[in-house]
Amino acid sequence: KREEELVQQGAEAQLLLQKLEAMDKEKQELTRQQDELKREKDEETKEMQQRLQTLERAKEELEGQERSLREQQDAERVSLVQQLENVKKEKEEIEQRATLLEAQQRKQEEEEEEVKQASPSASGGLT
């Protein structure tokens, strides 16, 4: 009877050992799967960070181009305003010269008219 108990206990111990080994294998498989998932997650995270950095660089580059264009437009606007002011000044100077020339011409015509009027009476008076 004692021998039967020992055989039975040995068989139970063998079963428990097999269950323990099976559980250990299952634990190893779950650990492997967990490690794989962690590695995949880490790779995706790294990829997303690289994409984000790429997008940030592209954004900074576009902002720089926008700033540059805005500065260029401002400079062109200032140049155009300056050109417009120069044209206005030149127009005013031309108008002033034209007014002056018209006044000189009228004065000259008046003097010539006075000379004409004075001339015939002077020559008429002599004859």
Side-chain angles (χ1 to χ4, degrees):
K1 186 160 183 161
R2 175 90 176 120
E3 199 176 301
E4 278 181 34
E5 281 182 20
L6 286 175
V7 169
Q8 188 177 348
Q9 284 179 351
E12 287 176 1
Q14 189 68 32
L15 275 174
L16 285 172
L17 192 58
Q18 289 174 353
K19 280 185 180 179
L20 197 58
E21 287 174 359
M23 287 173 67
D24 192 45
K25 283 184 181 178
E26 190 176 334
K27 181 184 171 207
Q28 288 176 2
E29 177 61 20
L30 288 173
T31 303
R32 188 193 63 76
Q33 289 177 1
Q34 193 176 16
D35 290 347
E36 173 120 0
L37 286 173
K38 185 184 182 313
R39 191 170 38 75
E40 287 176 7
K41 179 184 165 252
D42 289 349
E43 284 178 19
E44 285 181 17
T45 301
K46 184 180 176 185
E47 212 174 284
M48 290 297 173
Q49 287 173 341
Q50 287 174 343
R51 281 190 200 160
L52 186 61
Q53 287 174 348
T54 302
L55 289 173
E56 283 292 329
R57 281 193 297 270
K59 178 186 169 206
E60 290 171 7
E61 189 176 320
L62 287 172
E63 287 173 344
Q65 289 175 358
E66 181 186 21
R67 231 182 346 269
S68 175
L69 282 172
R70 205 174 298 123
E71 289 169 1
Q72 184 180 344
Q73 287 175 336
D74 289 348
E76 288 174 2
R77 202 173 294 119
V78 166
S79 173
L80 288 173
V81 167
Q82 188 63 49
Q83 288 176 21
L84 182 62
E85 288 176 6
N86 291 344
V87 167
K88 285 180 182 177
K89 284 179 187 173
E90 193 175 338
K91 180 184 173 210
E92 287 174 12
E93 290 172 6
I94 290 172
E95 288 174 345
Q96 288 174 353
R97 274 188 265 148
T99 303
L100 187 64
L101 286 172
E102 288 173 3
Q104 288 175 345
Q105 189 176 359
R106 261 187 266 118
K107 186 177 179 185
Q108 189 176 356
E109 287 173 356
E110 288 172 3
E111 287 174 357
E112 288 176 3
E113 191 61 38
E114 286 177 14
V115 168
K116 283 181 187 176
Q117 288 175 358
S119 240
S121 60
S123 62
L126 291 175
T127 47

